[in-house]
Short mmCIF file of all heavy atoms in Angstrom, two decimals:
data_model
loop_
_atom_site.label_atom_id
_atom_site.label_comp_id
_atom_site.label_asym_id
_atom_site.label_seq_id
_atom_site.Cartn_x
_atom_site.Cartn_y
_atom_site.Cartn_z
N TYR U 1045 122.53 39.06 85.99
CA TYR U 1045 121.19 39.63 85.91
C TYR U 1045 120.13 38.53 85.91
O TYR U 1045 118.94 38.82 85.89
CB TYR U 1045 121.02 40.47 84.64
CG TYR U 1045 121.25 39.69 83.37
CD1 TYR U 1045 120.27 38.88 82.83
CD2 TYR U 1045 122.47 39.75 82.71
CE1 TYR U 1045 120.48 38.13 81.69
CE2 TYR U 1045 122.70 39.01 81.56
CZ TYR U 1045 121.70 38.21 81.05
OH TYR U 1045 121.92 37.48 79.91
N LYS U 1046 120.57 37.26 85.93
CA LYS U 1046 119.62 36.15 85.83
C LYS U 1046 119.00 35.87 87.19
O LYS U 1046 119.69 35.67 88.19
CB LYS U 1046 120.31 34.90 85.30
CG LYS U 1046 119.34 33.76 85.02
CD LYS U 1046 119.97 32.68 84.17
CE LYS U 1046 118.94 31.61 83.80
NZ LYS U 1046 119.47 30.64 82.83
N LEU U 1047 117.67 35.82 87.20
CA LEU U 1047 116.90 35.74 88.44
C LEU U 1047 116.50 34.30 88.73
O LEU U 1047 115.99 33.59 87.87
CB LEU U 1047 115.64 36.59 88.26
CG LEU U 1047 114.87 37.03 89.49
CD1 LEU U 1047 115.65 38.09 90.23
CD2 LEU U 1047 113.52 37.59 89.06
N TYR U 1048 116.75 33.87 89.98
CA TYR U 1048 116.23 32.60 90.48
C TYR U 1048 115.25 32.93 91.59
O TYR U 1048 115.64 33.39 92.67
CB TYR U 1048 117.36 31.71 90.98
CG TYR U 1048 118.34 31.32 89.89
CD1 TYR U 1048 119.44 32.13 89.59
CD2 TYR U 1048 118.15 30.16 89.14
CE1 TYR U 1048 120.32 31.78 88.58
CE2 TYR U 1048 119.04 29.80 88.14
CZ TYR U 1048 120.11 30.62 87.86
OH TYR U 1048 120.99 30.28 86.85
N TYR U 1049 113.99 32.72 91.32
CA TYR U 1049 112.91 33.18 92.19
C TYR U 1049 112.36 31.98 92.96
O TYR U 1049 111.82 31.04 92.37
CB TYR U 1049 111.82 33.83 91.32
CG TYR U 1049 110.71 34.53 92.06
CD1 TYR U 1049 110.61 35.91 92.01
CD2 TYR U 1049 109.75 33.83 92.77
CE1 TYR U 1049 109.58 36.58 92.67
CE2 TYR U 1049 108.72 34.48 93.43
CZ TYR U 1049 108.64 35.85 93.37
OH TYR U 1049 107.63 36.51 94.03
N PHE U 1050 112.50 32.02 94.30
CA PHE U 1050 112.01 30.92 95.15
C PHE U 1050 110.67 31.31 95.74
O PHE U 1050 110.54 32.34 96.40
CB PHE U 1050 113.00 30.64 96.28
CG PHE U 1050 114.29 30.00 95.84
CD1 PHE U 1050 115.28 30.75 95.22
CD2 PHE U 1050 114.50 28.64 96.04
CE1 PHE U 1050 116.47 30.15 94.81
CE2 PHE U 1050 115.68 28.04 95.64
CZ PHE U 1050 116.67 28.80 95.02
N THR U 1051 109.67 30.47 95.50
CA THR U 1051 108.37 30.66 96.12
C THR U 1051 108.12 29.47 97.04
O THR U 1051 108.18 28.31 96.62
CB THR U 1051 107.25 30.81 95.07
OG1 THR U 1051 105.99 30.93 95.72
CG2 THR U 1051 107.23 29.67 94.08
N ILE U 1052 107.87 29.73 98.32
CA ILE U 1052 107.96 28.69 99.36
C ILE U 1052 106.68 28.63 100.18
O ILE U 1052 106.16 29.67 100.61
CB ILE U 1052 109.17 28.98 100.28
CG1 ILE U 1052 110.46 28.98 99.45
CG2 ILE U 1052 109.27 27.96 101.41
CD1 ILE U 1052 111.66 29.52 100.17
N THR U 1053 106.18 27.42 100.40
CA THR U 1053 105.00 27.24 101.23
C THR U 1053 105.13 25.94 102.02
O THR U 1053 105.69 24.96 101.53
CB THR U 1053 103.71 27.21 100.39
OG1 THR U 1053 102.59 26.93 101.25
CG2 THR U 1053 103.76 26.13 99.31
N THR U 1054 104.60 25.95 103.23
CA THR U 1054 104.52 24.71 104.02
C THR U 1054 103.25 23.93 103.68
O THR U 1054 102.94 22.93 104.31
CB THR U 1054 104.55 25.01 105.52
OG1 THR U 1054 103.51 25.95 105.82
CG2 THR U 1054 105.88 25.57 105.95
N GLY U 1055 102.52 24.40 102.66
CA GLY U 1055 101.28 23.76 102.27
C GLY U 1055 101.48 22.33 101.78
O GLY U 1055 102.51 21.99 101.21
N LYS U 1056 100.45 21.50 102.01
CA LYS U 1056 100.50 20.09 101.61
C LYS U 1056 99.35 19.74 100.67
O LYS U 1056 99.13 18.57 100.37
CB LYS U 1056 100.43 19.19 102.85
CG LYS U 1056 101.58 19.41 103.83
CD LYS U 1056 101.37 18.60 105.10
CE LYS U 1056 102.46 18.91 106.13
NZ LYS U 1056 102.23 18.18 107.40
N ARG U 1057 98.62 20.76 100.20
CA ARG U 1057 97.51 20.52 99.28
C ARG U 1057 97.81 21.17 97.95
O ARG U 1057 98.37 22.27 97.87
CB ARG U 1057 96.20 21.04 99.86
CG ARG U 1057 95.87 20.45 101.23
CD ARG U 1057 94.47 20.76 101.67
NE ARG U 1057 93.48 20.07 100.85
CZ ARG U 1057 93.11 18.79 101.01
NH1 ARG U 1057 93.67 18.07 101.97
NH2 ARG U 1057 92.22 18.25 100.23
N ILE U 1058 97.41 20.49 96.88
CA ILE U 1058 97.82 20.92 95.54
C ILE U 1058 97.28 22.31 95.18
O ILE U 1058 97.94 23.07 94.47
CB ILE U 1058 97.39 19.88 94.48
CG1 ILE U 1058 98.12 20.16 93.16
CG2 ILE U 1058 95.88 19.82 94.32
CD1 ILE U 1058 98.01 19.03 92.16
N GLY U 1059 96.09 22.66 95.68
CA GLY U 1059 95.52 23.97 95.36
C GLY U 1059 96.41 25.11 95.84
O GLY U 1059 96.69 26.05 95.10
N VAL U 1060 96.84 25.02 97.10
CA VAL U 1060 97.71 26.05 97.68
C VAL U 1060 99.05 26.09 96.96
O VAL U 1060 99.57 27.16 96.62
CB VAL U 1060 97.92 25.78 99.18
CG1 VAL U 1060 98.97 26.72 99.76
CG2 VAL U 1060 96.61 25.92 99.94
N CYS U 1061 99.61 24.91 96.71
CA CYS U 1061 100.94 24.83 96.07
C CYS U 1061 100.90 25.33 94.64
O CYS U 1061 101.85 25.98 94.17
CB CYS U 1061 101.47 23.40 96.13
SG CYS U 1061 101.66 22.78 97.82
N LYS U 1062 99.81 25.06 93.94
CA LYS U 1062 99.67 25.54 92.55
C LYS U 1062 99.55 27.07 92.53
O LYS U 1062 100.14 27.73 91.68
CB LYS U 1062 98.44 24.91 91.90
CG LYS U 1062 98.34 25.17 90.40
CD LYS U 1062 97.01 24.69 89.83
CE LYS U 1062 96.84 23.19 90.00
NZ LYS U 1062 95.59 22.71 89.36
N GLN U 1063 98.78 27.61 93.46
CA GLN U 1063 98.63 29.05 93.55
C GLN U 1063 99.98 29.73 93.79
O GLN U 1063 100.31 30.73 93.15
CB GLN U 1063 97.66 29.41 94.68
CG GLN U 1063 97.42 30.91 94.83
CD GLN U 1063 96.45 31.22 95.97
OE1 GLN U 1063 95.79 30.35 96.49
NE2 GLN U 1063 96.39 32.47 96.35
N LYS U 1064 100.77 29.18 94.71
CA LYS U 1064 102.11 29.73 94.98
C LYS U 1064 103.01 29.61 93.76
O LYS U 1064 103.80 30.51 93.46
CB LYS U 1064 102.73 29.01 96.17
CG LYS U 1064 102.17 29.42 97.52
CD LYS U 1064 102.62 30.81 97.93
CE LYS U 1064 104.08 30.85 98.33
NZ LYS U 1064 104.51 32.17 98.85
N ALA U 1065 102.91 28.48 93.02
CA ALA U 1065 103.74 28.29 91.84
C ALA U 1065 103.41 29.32 90.77
O ALA U 1065 104.33 29.94 90.19
CB ALA U 1065 103.54 26.88 91.29
N PHE U 1066 102.12 29.55 90.51
CA PHE U 1066 101.74 30.53 89.49
C PHE U 1066 102.09 31.95 89.92
O PHE U 1066 102.47 32.78 89.09
CB PHE U 1066 100.25 30.41 89.16
CG PHE U 1066 99.94 29.34 88.17
CD1 PHE U 1066 99.14 28.26 88.52
CD2 PHE U 1066 100.45 29.39 86.88
CE1 PHE U 1066 98.87 27.26 87.61
CE2 PHE U 1066 100.17 28.40 85.96
CZ PHE U 1066 99.38 27.33 86.32
N GLU U 1067 101.95 32.23 91.20
CA GLU U 1067 102.37 33.54 91.70
C GLU U 1067 103.85 33.76 91.44
O GLU U 1067 104.28 34.83 91.00
CB GLU U 1067 102.08 33.63 93.20
CG GLU U 1067 102.55 34.91 93.87
CD GLU U 1067 102.46 34.84 95.39
OE1 GLU U 1067 101.52 34.19 95.91
OE2 GLU U 1067 103.34 35.39 96.05
N GLY U 1068 104.66 32.72 91.70
CA GLY U 1068 106.10 32.81 91.45
C GLY U 1068 106.42 33.00 89.98
O GLY U 1068 107.28 33.81 89.62
N ILE U 1069 105.73 32.26 89.11
CA ILE U 1069 105.96 32.38 87.67
C ILE U 1069 105.63 33.78 87.19
O ILE U 1069 106.40 34.40 86.42
CB ILE U 1069 105.13 31.33 86.90
CG1 ILE U 1069 105.66 29.92 87.18
CG2 ILE U 1069 105.14 31.60 85.40
CD1 ILE U 1069 104.72 28.82 86.74
N PHE U 1070 104.51 34.32 87.64
CA PHE U 1070 104.10 35.67 87.24
C PHE U 1070 105.13 36.71 87.68
O PHE U 1070 105.57 37.55 86.88
CB PHE U 1070 102.72 36.00 87.82
CG PHE U 1070 102.30 37.43 87.59
CD1 PHE U 1070 101.83 37.83 86.36
CD2 PHE U 1070 102.40 38.37 88.60
CE1 PHE U 1070 101.45 39.15 86.13
CE2 PHE U 1070 102.03 39.70 88.40
CZ PHE U 1070 101.55 40.09 87.15
N ARG U 1071 105.52 36.67 88.95
CA ARG U 1071 106.46 37.67 89.48
C ARG U 1071 107.84 37.52 88.82
O ARG U 1071 108.50 38.51 88.50
CB ARG U 1071 106.60 37.52 90.98
CG ARG U 1071 105.38 37.96 91.75
CD ARG U 1071 105.28 39.47 91.81
NE ARG U 1071 104.07 39.88 92.51
CZ ARG U 1071 103.19 40.75 92.06
NH1 ARG U 1071 103.39 41.31 90.87
NH2 ARG U 1071 102.13 41.07 92.75
N ALA U 1072 108.27 36.27 88.61
CA ALA U 1072 109.58 36.06 87.99
C ALA U 1072 109.61 36.58 86.57
O ALA U 1072 110.57 37.23 86.14
CB ALA U 1072 109.94 34.57 88.02
N ARG U 1073 108.55 36.32 85.81
CA ARG U 1073 108.48 36.84 84.44
C ARG U 1073 108.43 38.36 84.45
O ARG U 1073 109.04 39.02 83.60
CB ARG U 1073 107.22 36.30 83.74
CG ARG U 1073 107.33 34.85 83.29
CD ARG U 1073 106.03 34.44 82.62
NE ARG U 1073 106.08 33.07 82.10
CZ ARG U 1073 105.04 32.46 81.54
NH1 ARG U 1073 103.87 33.09 81.46
NH2 ARG U 1073 105.16 31.23 81.08
N GLN U 1074 107.68 38.91 85.40
CA GLN U 1074 107.55 40.36 85.49
C GLN U 1074 108.90 41.02 85.74
O GLN U 1074 109.23 42.03 85.11
CB GLN U 1074 106.57 40.71 86.62
CG GLN U 1074 106.33 42.20 86.81
CD GLN U 1074 105.46 42.48 88.01
OE1 GLN U 1074 105.46 41.71 88.98
NE2 GLN U 1074 104.71 43.57 87.98
N LEU U 1075 109.69 40.44 86.63
CA LEU U 1075 110.97 41.05 87.00
C LEU U 1075 112.12 40.64 86.08
O LEU U 1075 112.94 41.46 85.71
CB LEU U 1075 111.32 40.67 88.44
CG LEU U 1075 110.43 41.23 89.54
CD1 LEU U 1075 110.81 40.62 90.88
CD2 LEU U 1075 110.54 42.75 89.60
N GLY U 1076 112.18 39.35 85.75
CA GLY U 1076 113.35 38.84 85.02
C GLY U 1076 113.10 38.40 83.61
O GLY U 1076 114.03 37.99 82.91
N GLY U 1077 111.83 38.46 83.14
CA GLY U 1077 111.51 38.09 81.77
C GLY U 1077 111.81 36.62 81.49
O GLY U 1077 111.75 35.76 82.36
N GLU U 1078 112.17 36.35 80.23
CA GLU U 1078 112.44 34.97 79.81
C GLU U 1078 113.66 34.38 80.51
O GLU U 1078 113.83 33.17 80.54
CB GLU U 1078 112.69 34.93 78.30
CG GLU U 1078 111.50 35.23 77.44
CD GLU U 1078 111.87 35.15 75.98
OE1 GLU U 1078 112.53 36.08 75.48
OE2 GLU U 1078 111.52 34.14 75.33
N HIS U 1079 114.51 35.25 81.03
CA HIS U 1079 115.76 34.78 81.64
C HIS U 1079 115.53 34.17 83.03
O HIS U 1079 116.39 33.45 83.54
CB HIS U 1079 116.75 35.94 81.76
CG HIS U 1079 116.89 36.72 80.50
ND1 HIS U 1079 117.74 36.33 79.49
CD2 HIS U 1079 116.29 37.86 80.06
CE1 HIS U 1079 117.65 37.20 78.49
NE2 HIS U 1079 116.78 38.13 78.82
N ALA U 1080 114.39 34.48 83.66
CA ALA U 1080 114.17 34.08 85.06
C ALA U 1080 113.82 32.60 85.17
O ALA U 1080 113.23 32.01 84.26
CB ALA U 1080 113.06 34.93 85.66
N ARG U 1081 114.17 32.03 86.30
CA ARG U 1081 113.80 30.66 86.63
C ARG U 1081 113.13 30.64 87.99
O ARG U 1081 113.50 31.41 88.89
CB ARG U 1081 115.04 29.75 86.64
CG ARG U 1081 115.67 29.57 85.25
CD ARG U 1081 114.75 28.83 84.31
NE ARG U 1081 115.29 28.70 82.96
CZ ARG U 1081 115.00 29.52 81.96
NH1 ARG U 1081 114.20 30.56 82.16
NH2 ARG U 1081 115.49 29.33 80.77
N VAL U 1082 112.14 29.75 88.16
CA VAL U 1082 111.36 29.67 89.39
C VAL U 1082 111.64 28.35 90.08
O VAL U 1082 111.67 27.30 89.42
CB VAL U 1082 109.85 29.81 89.10
CG1 VAL U 1082 109.04 29.74 90.39
CG2 VAL U 1082 109.57 31.10 88.35
N ILE U 1083 111.83 28.39 91.39
CA ILE U 1083 111.96 27.18 92.20
C ILE U 1083 110.81 27.20 93.20
O ILE U 1083 110.74 28.08 94.06
CB ILE U 1083 113.31 27.09 92.92
CG1 ILE U 1083 114.46 27.05 91.93
CG2 ILE U 1083 113.36 25.84 93.80
CD1 ILE U 1083 115.03 28.39 91.54
N GLY U 1084 109.90 26.25 93.06
CA GLY U 1084 108.77 26.15 93.97
C GLY U 1084 109.04 25.10 95.04
O GLY U 1084 109.32 23.95 94.72
N VAL U 1085 108.98 25.51 96.30
CA VAL U 1085 109.24 24.60 97.42
C VAL U 1085 107.94 24.41 98.20
O VAL U 1085 107.28 25.39 98.56
CB VAL U 1085 110.33 25.16 98.36
CG1 VAL U 1085 110.62 24.17 99.48
CG2 VAL U 1085 111.60 25.47 97.58
#
């Protein structure tokens, strides 16, 4: 039941990459709670 959530962007600027990272954290927590892990690429 443990979720590994990959959020992926070809972006090279920190603003875009940070936005994708927080989006991944929010969705992972929403679906998998404390058990979820996020991998930002």
Side-chain angles (χ1 to χ4, degrees):
Y1045 60 80
K1046 187 165 185 173
L1047 198 72
Y1048 297 88
Y1049 188 110
F1050 289 77
T1051 177
I1052 300 168
T1053 176
T1054 54
K1056 300 174 184 177
R1057 304 191 68 81
I1058 194 167
V1060 172
C1061 300
K1062 189 188 298 184
Q1063 181 180 348
K1064 285 287 287 185
F1066 277 117
E1067 176 190 326
I1069 291 166
F1070 173 77
R1071 289 284 178 230
R1073 284 180 178 176
Q1074 181 185 29
L1075 293 173
E1078 292 180 285
H1079 311 276
R1081 293 294 177 264
V1082 181
I1083 299 90
V1085 182

